[in-house]
Amino acid sequence: MPQRQLRQEESWNSLHRSEASCDVSNDDFAYSEDASLSDDESDHGTEYSGTASPMTYPTVSHVHKAIHPLQATADRVGKQVEEFAENLDRYTQAKSQEQQKVSKDCRCVLSLVEAYQKTARETIQHLQTMHAPERQKQFANLTKQKLRSRSSRSHSRRDSTPGSDGEDHNLTTVADLQRWELEEQTWDLLGRMLQVEYPVPEPERSRINSKEGITRPDKAHSLHAYSPEKEVWDSFLATNDQAWERHTVIEWLKRSADHSGEDIEHIVQQLESEADRGSGLQAHSWLYTREAIKGQKRLRSWPRAFEPDDPGLDTSLMNAEKTKALVTQLDPDVITRQCRILEKQDVYFERAIWLACWEMVRRGKSWKYIRDWCDDRAEQWRAVAVQGDMRIAHLETSEAMTLQSRFLWRKTCALAAKDGSIDEYEKAVYGVLSGYFPSVQQISRSWDDHLFAHYNTFLLHSYESYVKHNFANRIPFALASKDSAFNISSSAGQRALSGNQVVEKLKQTDGIKQEAREPFKMLQGSLIAKNFDEFTFKQGVKLTQYANAHGRSKILPRMDGKPVEGSITAPITMQDYDMLRLITHIILIYQDLGFQFGKGDRLFATESIIVAYVDYLSKAGKQQLLPLYASRLSHGRSIVCLGRQLPLIQEHNERVTIMNLMKQYSIDVPGVLLMQMQMIILDTPPNSEHSTKYPELKILEPVGKTDVQARPIRGGFIGDKVTDDQMDLIRAFEWYMVLEGYWQQTMAIGVVIYKHFLRSQGLAAARKLSQEVTLSRISLSKSYAILRRTVDISKDHDLSIEEDGSPSSAKKSKSRGKSHQRQSSATTNSARDDEREILLEQSRTFRDLESLLVTLNAMEEWRYLADQVQRHPKDKSVSAPFKKAFLEVVSAMDPLLHGWLQNPKTGMRSRKRFSPMLTVNTDAEADEFEQIGLACLPEVILAYNSILNFSSYYAGREILKQSMDMAALFAEEGSELAACIVAANRMPELMDSFAVAAKSMILAEARKPGEKGKDGKPLGLWSVRVSGIVNAKKQ
């Protein structure tokens, strides 16, 4: 096995083990997909609420439901979803290895179709063990309905609501069984139709392990005047493509009726009880009528068989109700010949026996089965009546009927089917054998029955024309004459229709309109009509309309102005999970055959079905399956599809797995990560008030009555509210931690997120981003792929990480803000330093914005401790944390005072850099940086000076000199800080703030001798005592 395929098999085995560890103990959970998510569940799930009694202890399933909000849905998904995905994945891997070896015929996908059908069949077998009584009850009701009077024939065979007759067997019902039966039939139909649409070349057909009835006969080399009709029939199917297609559909309808209908033996058992003659129908025939005739013979001592005109019989040989005369003999055609009736019980028996014969013919039972069944009941003549049909499986070719005699036999059956005096099921049997449409349509109660009636008539009528055209000399003379009694059209005036025309006609047929518009029948009809692409287009449009009915959908964008015309459809919804799965896999099969679903809106609508199924898998907790299905979408749609789902994946190991799967399926991983960022930002635009500018920070309390005073810091000015969309944005950015390389793009994305939060006043979200996705963490996760060593570039020195996770150097580096004050030292490895410097430069803006949030967070923490220390100034347990918080503010503030959002080489807030979100020129980016500086920096500086002033009372009076040092920075020539304050019109506030600090220094009672300022000069001026002011202060 190839290495790649071996790894894939191991991953599937791992998935099965993980699924098994979380399985609910009851297997019944695994076999129903009839789960509907509420609106709340579709977003983030709902909290589990148990309904058990107080004495009920929580089970394993309760724990899983509490952990996973959608665990109930995941339980209902069952193993079928994994089996479908596993078969698809294995097929995809095999196809990629043998792409050049397989031609564009159905061989390349038949194995996949059969695998899907096998899964459906196994599910049916499991559900039958649980819901057999309910299903048998439905069949019994159906059989009774068929045996009722003719006025009830307009009802569909699906009169009862699916699932209404049975109890809830652990989340599965009889409706689930019915749905899986329909799905199994659909897979069987698809496999048959693929062999019609994408036939295998004739010399290679023998290599396919086809099912019985699917293999198309080879073209006969030559036919002569004495060729048996079996060879003529095979030649007809081999040379007429439309006939072969109709024959294929008929065989599928027969198999479906046989597999999904009630077993004939069960029908017989029910007939025995209804026919009022005990167990065993053998040799009973018309029991009650025969006893009445024998009674009259005993009374009359009649030596011969009765005749209708015998004297006295009209009044003596009557039915039990004494209303009508009974037949006088017991031969099969006596009813039509004498125009008399049978006893009521025998009428029921006659109808029941013909119903059984109809079921056998309708289901395509073999000649041997029909013959044995009739032999057991002494009704051999009924078996002989159907012997002339060449289509009956396993019919002996040595029979004596020739082409001429069989041709005449079919016309005789047509005449019998036209007779109105016999039972409708008897006429239906003759109608199937002869192709007489009205008699078969008369007892058709389902979509399948009506389709069978049409296709059977069209096929036999086409065969009759074929024989007349190619073997005119073998047509009996009695049929050649226009005046002959056998000159009857089997189609009864029905014009031959195409598959699409028949399907559309059935949608307007009384009695089956509703069934014909059900999703399964719509799907099967599209396969038969060979317009599956039109079906998917209409369903895709309807699906997008449904998804956007109550607001804009993030998963399926609206397709405005795309009306669906033509065929009436039963649109699927986002909750029709079984149909989404079925249609999705059929779409993928046609894609593998090279089928084109169109371009533009048509392709978008078709792919919307796959996207809806991917969304379902995500909600059900099947995230590892997402890349497999997304890879089958077009390039742009796959990126958008996964971009919507990735933020929901939060576990690191699961992210790594998904990332590897995306790479394996050749998905554009960087494009997906970038797309998810774009979509989340577009989903949460800033308020219109701040759509084009950055709102000013509000850190300080409003100005009080006194013009010159220190304004205190607001308590909790950052806040703690982080919206779901903001969390999605942070989680989306965490994906870049898994992506190897792409350093510059990662930094640019981080800058965009910070800008978005600042513009939308999401300080709490920005702080959370600065805490969870730090530059240090990004560097440690990405540096090895770029530099071939793990380093933290946020530190002054490389901090290489050993294999055990410990740093190789015990030396702790200082903050980045201090590095600008030191001269660069010579290095022993300039290449490594150059690479590191490039990464450092590319991350400079990200670090600056991260520093801003670190500073704001430190200020808010300091504000909380300031309240504590003000209440308990002498409590060391309070003062020590307060002093530590103050030092953190000072450390965090340093980068903002030295080159924040500036180019270190030019000192300007303008530098050309890469941005993946949009193309930005230097001037535009400089303007944006200026806006951020004006919105953030003045308030932060004023707050910092207030912190210095307040902290000097509780952490040491020498703190005030830092305020003076900051004043010196503003006094420097060409100071960008001063320019920013002036541009914000806040220089008067800053001067007032410095004045407050100066006043505090002047009011100080004592200073330590020898205190020096930043330039090293003594602070003698600030050590002056002003006794008047001091005394006033004390007072």
Side-chain angles (χ1 to χ4, degrees), residues 220-229 231-240 243 403-404 407 460-476:
H221 296 290
S222 62
L223 290 176
H224 50 80
Y226 302 100
S227 296
E229 190 176 12
E231 295 182 4
V232 176
W233 173 259
D234 290 342
S235 176
F236 166 67
L237 295 180
T239 56
N240 191 321
L403 187 147
Q404 293 92 334
F407 207 95
L460 291 181
H461 181 72
S462 178
Y463 175 66
E464 182 179 325
S465 299
Y466 174 83
V467 173
K468 288 181 178 180
H469 182 268
N470 294 279
F471 302 93
N473 58 337
R474 299 180 66 176
I475 303 298

Side-chain angles (χ1 to χ4, degrees), residues 513-525:
K513 288 181 179 179
Q514 182 178 355
E515 182 186 1
R517 297 168 188 174
E518 292 176 357
F520 271 106
K521 293 308 174 186
M522 291 294 301
L523 174 57
Q524 293 173 358

Side-chain angles (χ1 to χ4, degrees), residues 587-602:
I587 291 174
L588 301 183
I589 287 173
Y590 273 105
Q591 283 182 347
D592 291 329
L593 289 169
F595 186 86
Q596 299 296 325
F597 285 90
K599 299 179 181 179
D601 292 334
R602 299 191 70 86

Side-chain angles (χ1 to χ4, degrees), residues 618-901:
S618 177
K619 291 176 180 176
K622 308 295 180 182
Q623 278 78 13
Q624 294 188 25
L625 306 182
L626 305 187
L628 170 63
Y629 291 94
S631 66
R632 305 302 293 270
L633 298 168
S634 58
H635 179 266
R637 197 72 187 275
S638 66
I639 291 176
V640 174
C641 176
L642 287 178
R644 283 296 186 191
Q645 304 299 337
L646 293 190
L648 303 177
I649 304 174
Q650 304 178 28
E651 294 295 332
H652 176 74
N653 293 336
E654 192 169 6
R655 286 173 174 169
V656 173
T657 301
I658 299 298
M659 186 78 74
N660 293 332
L661 288 173
M662 286 193 290
K663 294 177 181 177
Q664 176 181 328
Y665 295 119
S666 302
I667 296 175
D668 183 6
V669 177
V672 172
L673 301 187
L674 178 58
M675 179 57 66
Q676 68 168 334
M677 307 298 302
Q678 291 177 328
M679 291 188 297
I680 296 174
I681 291 177
L682 291 175
D683 290 339
T684 57
N687 298 331
S688 58
E689 180 183 355
H690 306 296
S691 59
T692 59
K693 64 178 183 179
Y694 292 86
E696 295 181 358
L697 298 181
K698 303 294 182 182
I699 304 176
L700 298 172
E701 293 284 359
V703 179
K705 297 180 180 179
T706 306
D707 293 336
V708 181
Q709 64 175 355
R711 293 170 58 189
I713 306 293
R714 292 173 181 263
F717 65 89
I718 293 180
D720 55 2
K721 182 179 179 181
V722 181
T723 65
D724 293 335
D725 290 327
Q726 291 171 340
M727 279 305 305
D728 287 344
L729 203 54
I730 296 173
R731 291 167 183 161
F733 188 51
E734 289 177 344
W735 276 91
Y736 281 90
M737 305 286 289
V738 186
L739 180 65
E740 293 184 353
Y742 292 91
W743 174 269
Q744 191 176 19
Q745 184 176 5
T746 302
M747 294 297 103
I749 290 295
V751 170
V752 171
I753 298 176
Y754 272 122
K755 290 179 181 179
H756 177 72
F757 287 156
L758 292 176
R759 189 182 295 113
S760 59
Q761 295 182 314
L763 291 181
R767 174 174 61 181
K768 192 169 188 65
L769 176 63
S770 68
Q771 294 172 341
E772 296 193 0
V773 192
T774 63
L775 177 63
S776 175
R777 182 184 171 193
I778 297 174
S779 176
L780 293 176
S781 65
K782 286 181 171 292
S783 57
Y784 185 83
I786 302 172
L787 304 177
R788 308 313 301 171
R789 68 185 188 279
T790 303
V791 297
D792 185 356
I793 68 168
S794 66
K795 309 298 182 182
D796 281 344
H797 302 285
D798 285 357
L799 190 62
S800 300
I801 304 299
E802 304 293 345
E803 292 182 358
D804 60 356
S806 61
S808 59
S809 174
K811 181 179 179 180
K812 296 183 180 180
S813 61
K814 300 179 181 179
S815 66
R816 195 264 307 177
K818 298 291 186 180
S819 64
H820 79 285
Q821 301 178 21
R822 296 193 301 267
Q823 299 294 331
S824 299
S825 59
T827 59
T828 58
N829 193 337
S830 60
R832 298 179 71 184
D833 286 347
D834 290 343
E835 292 176 346
R836 184 177 182 276
E837 186 62 28
I838 293 174
L839 298 184
L840 197 63
E841 173 60 24
Q842 292 174 346
S843 65
R844 192 172 301 277
T845 304
F846 181 83
R847 289 186 299 157
D848 287 345
L849 295 176
E850 181 182 292
S851 298
L852 171 64
L853 271 301
V854 171
T855 302
L856 296 179
N857 183 64
M859 287 182 174
E860 190 177 72
E861 291 290 334
W862 176 90
R863 173 63 174 79
Y864 171 77
L865 294 173
D867 289 339
Q868 302 293 324
V869 76
Q870 197 171 14
R871 289 193 295 266
H872 309 284
K874 296 183 179 181
D875 190 345
K876 293 184 178 180
S877 63
V878 176
S879 59
F882 173 77
K883 292 178 181 180
K884 181 179 179 182
F886 169 74
L887 294 177
E888 290 178 355
V889 172
V890 174
S891 176
M893 189 65 191
D894 192 74
L896 275 69
L897 297 175
H898 303 93
W900 187 69
L901 287 184

